């Protein structure tokens, strides 16, 4: 591969072999576990009428004073349905990440409040229709592409919110801190993490028996870009094959329509079957349109966790980081998750049943205990540890997930937006 290709500036046609080498070479950037980032995405509602649509334009106007970076160094972005996302700066470790993100979210919530808006508690909009209010050729092409697979794509784009955690890929070595081993361990954790943190029990405004309807939605979208990357002893090569075999979502141009030829994969395009020769820039853009449960972007981006209510993003981020970056906790989690391979379609089972599934509940309790034990070793402050303990006491230790807390509140109050009772209310719960 030429140095110009590596610099990402060459507009000459790209060969299939060069494309595979490039994708494999950039998916893991080796380094020691520790560095981390988080993306906190939220559904946004109107205080006066929570069921009223809130457009991207209105959220953007509320955030106008946040041009540039936030107090903690993070940045704001906007999703097609009006969701707001706060992306942290990369931090050296869990304590720095949490401290910076607390500042960012406090600033965002203050500005939303000043504009008569608030962040919703769910990961999938319980009542409002999925309507796109962000105009851009990328999202128009995405909408048309996903419509070919059913309604789940529009729901994902406009009505879901997630908590994405990014972790260092690891060393280029065969040890437990090696990139291939961390990649495998994070994939083994997926069913437990989906079940532990499920927080979207409503579909079209009512319970439908699933604990994570957000994950259910993702399971209904173009599998060439959302399915799990196939298991392999060489994850770099597996990711390269996955990326090239995925359908092309859009082809950037000066015009307003970025739709590709129907059924075109990246590999087809590299073979000369597209509207023009594919370049490195096209490949790089294509990689941004792939959404597997774990996406390698130099670091490991975890994409299966539902958005959380209030400050629950913090204990979830701490628990996940502990289970990956503390070696002892990671070993315990690996042992706890090993039996889950016998579950039928583990990720679907986790999304549907949450911790009402006995095997998932048992694994989750072991993982929670391991994470709590690891937090002092990672330098987590007293607030983070207390919030993690509270989250586990309310949920994991009782074989429950946040979705069940939201369902209880809804049954008691008839509202999707009710606040949970104080921690003491759970002390005597059966």
């Amino acid at each position: 591969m030429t140095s110009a290709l590596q610099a990402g500036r060459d507009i000459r046609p790209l060969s299939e072999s060069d494309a595979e080498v490039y994708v494999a070479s950039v998916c893991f950037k080796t380094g020691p576990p520790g560095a981390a980032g988080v993306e906190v995405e939220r559904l946004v509602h109107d205080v006066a009428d929570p069921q009223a649509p809130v457009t991207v334009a209105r959220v953007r106007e509320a955030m106008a004073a946040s041009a540039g970076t936030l107090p903690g160094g993070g940045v704001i972005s906007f999703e097609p349905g009006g969701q707001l996302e706060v992306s942290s700066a990369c931090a050296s470790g869990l304590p720095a990440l949490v401290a910076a993100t607390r500042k960012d979210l406090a600033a965002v919530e203050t500005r939303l409040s000043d504009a008569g808006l608030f962040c919703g508690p769910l990961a999938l909009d319980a009542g409002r229709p999925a309507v796109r209010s962000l105009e851009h050729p990328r999202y128009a092409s995405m909408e048309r592409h996903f419509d070919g697979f059913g309604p789940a794509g529009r729901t994902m784009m406009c009505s879901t919110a997630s908590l994405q955690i990014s972790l260092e890929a690891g060393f280029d070595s065969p040890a437990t801190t090696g990139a291939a081993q961390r990649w495998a361990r994070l994939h083994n954790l997926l069913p437990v993490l989906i079940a532990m943190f499920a927080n979207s029990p409503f579909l079209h405004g009512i319970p439908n028996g699933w604990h994570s309807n957000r994950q259910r939605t993702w399971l209904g979208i173009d599998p060439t870009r959302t399915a799990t990357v196939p298991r392999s002893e060489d994850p770099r090569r597996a990711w390269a094959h996955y990326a090239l075999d995925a359908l092309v979502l859009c082809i950037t141009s000066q015009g307003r329509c970025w739709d590709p030829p129907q059924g075109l994969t990246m590999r087809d395009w590299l073979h000369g079957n597209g509207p023009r020769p594919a370049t490195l820039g096209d490949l790089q853009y294509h990689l941004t349109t792939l959404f597997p449960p774990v996406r390698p972007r130099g670091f490991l981006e975890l994409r299966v966790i539902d958005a959380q209510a209030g400050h629950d993003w913090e204990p979830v981020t701490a628990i996940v980081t502990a289970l990956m970056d503390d070696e002892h906790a990671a070993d315990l989690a690996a042992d706890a998750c090993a039996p889950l391979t016998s579950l039928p379609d583990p990720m679907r089972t986790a999304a549907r049943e949450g911790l009402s599934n006995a095997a998932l509940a048992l694994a989750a309790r072991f993982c929670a205990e391991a994470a709590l034990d690891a937090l002092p070793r990672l330098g987590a402050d007293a607030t983070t540890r207390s919030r993690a303990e509270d989250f586990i006491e309310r949920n994991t230790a009782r074989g429950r997930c946040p979705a069940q807390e939201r369902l209880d509140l809804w049954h008691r109050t008839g509202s999707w937006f009710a606040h949970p009772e104080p921690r003491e209310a759970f002390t005597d719960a059966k």
Side-chain angles (χ1 to χ4, degrees), residues 26-244:
V26 300
C27 63
F28 296 138
K29 295 179 180 177
T30 57
V38 65
E39 296 180 12
V40 182
E41 190 177 7
R42 296 281 173 80
L43 299 167
V44 179
H45 298 269
D46 187 300
V47 171
D49 182 3
Q51 286 301 94
V54 176
T55 64
V56 172
R58 185 175 174 191
V59 181
R60 194 189 301 274
E61 182 180 1
M63 293 294 108
S66 301
T69 58
L70 291 163
V75 296
I76 293 171
S77 58
F78 307 94
E79 297 299 319
Q83 308 97 309
L84 182 149
E85 184 175 79
V86 175
S87 300
S88 75
C90 181
S92 59
L94 178 64
L97 174 63
V98 168
T101 306
R102 283 178 190 157
K103 293 178 184 178
D104 289 343
L105 291 175
V108 165
E109 288 166 2
T110 296
R111 287 162 191 166
L112 286 176
S113 179
D114 290 345
L117 301 170
F118 71 99
C119 293
L122 294 165
L124 188 145
D125 202 308
R128 297 177 298 186
V131 177
R132 179 169 59 89
S133 64
L134 184 57
E135 293 299 326
H136 190 282
R138 172 187 172 107
Y139 295 117
S141 289
M142 181 182 291
E143 188 173 77
R144 288 188 288 267
H145 175 84
F146 286 144
D147 281 350
F149 295 86
R154 290 194 183 213
T155 300
M156 178 277 291
M157 292 173 63
C158 302
S159 301
T160 64
S162 65
L163 177 65
Q164 297 178 19
I165 299 168
S166 296
L167 300 166
E168 188 68 69
F171 290 109
D172 190 9
S173 75
T176 56
T177 55
Q181 286 70 24
R182 282 171 62 78
W183 171 262
R185 283 191 165 188
L186 189 52
H187 279 84
N188 291 339
L189 275 169
L190 293 179
V192 166
L193 300 181
I194 292 169
M196 280 181 77
F197 307 130
N199 186 38
S200 45
F202 306 105
L203 187 67
H204 307 309
I206 59 173
N208 70 333
W210 286 66
H211 289 76
S212 177
N213 275 290
R214 175 192 160 275
Q215 185 64 29
R216 177 179 182 268
T217 298
W218 276 99
L219 293 171
I221 300 171
D222 173 10
T224 71
R225 63 187 359 92
T226 61
T228 305
V229 179
R231 296 294 183 110
S232 171
E233 293 183 1
D234 186 352
R236 289 177 174 85
R237 182 177 293 275
W239 171 240
H241 288 175
Y242 180 104
L244 268 57

Side-chain angles (χ1 to χ4, degrees), residues 299-351:
F299 50 89
L300 304 181
E301 181 184 74
L302 176 65
R303 303 180 55 86
V304 299
I305 296 177
D306 279 1
Q308 302 294 305
H311 57 58
D312 277 352
W313 67 270
E314 184 176 330
V316 173
T317 300
I319 290 166
V320 172
T321 304
L323 294 176
M324 284 295 295
D325 285 359
D326 182 88
E327 284 198 57
H328 183 58
D331 288 341
L332 293 174
D335 291 341
C337 293
L340 300 180
T341 57
S342 63
L343 289 177
D345 198 343
M347 289 176 59
R348 182 177 292 273
T349 298

